[in-house]
Amino acid sequence: MELLLALLIAAGPGAAPPSDWRLVNPRAIELFEREPKLMRWALTLFDSDRDDHLSILEADRAAREFKRIADSNGNGQVTPSEYRSARDFIVARWVASNP
C-alpha cells in the first residue's frame, strides 16, 4: 500500500496530461496492476487507443485522476484512508454500474 501511495504522490496534482515526458510517472501502471477493479476503471476511461492495454502515458493520466479523487483534503498527499475511500468510491459508483 505504501508503494501505491508513493506512486500517487509522484503522479503530481491534477489530471492534465503532462506536456513533457520527463514528468510522466513510468511506474503509475503498478497501481492498476495491483488493483484489478481499478485497472478496469482505468482501461475503460483512459485506454484512448482501445487496445486493452494501458500505455505509460495512459496509466499516468489514470493515476493522476485517481489521485485527484483520493486527495480529499487537497494537501497533495494520499493517506491510506483516502486511498481506500477512493478505491471504494470508484468500485461502488463506477465499476459496479459498468459490469
Side-chain angles (χ1 to χ4, degrees):
M1 169 105 36
E2 290 158 9
L3 173 61
L4 296 177
L5 294 174
L7 291 170
L8 289 173
I9 291 167
S19 59
D20 185 338
W21 275 97
R22 292 173 294 182
L23 302 177
V24 173
N25 181 354
R27 296 182 59 194
I29 189 67
E30 293 174 22
L31 167 67
F32 307 107
E33 289 173 341
R34 287 188 168 86
E35 295 277 354
K37 290 181 179 180
L38 290 181
M39 176 63 90
R40 213 164 108 218
W41 169 79
L43 281 170
T44 301
L45 296 179
F46 297 94
D47 181 19
S48 57
D49 58 4
R50 300 291 178 225
D51 65 352
D52 289 325
H53 173 76
L54 286 181
S55 68
I56 292 171
L57 184 57
E58 291 166 340
D60 182 73
R61 288 177 179 154
R64 287 172 188 268
E65 178 61 12
F66 183 84
K67 182 181 178 187
R68 188 192 66 74
I69 293 168
D71 187 14
S72 60
N73 61 5
N75 70 351
Q77 308 250 333
V78 176
T79 66
S81 175
E82 288 174 321
Y83 175 89
R84 286 188 299 275
S85 292
R87 181 193 59 217
D88 293 347
F89 172 80
I90 288 170
V91 169
R93 302 275 196 269
W94 190 88
V95 175
S97 65
N98 294 287

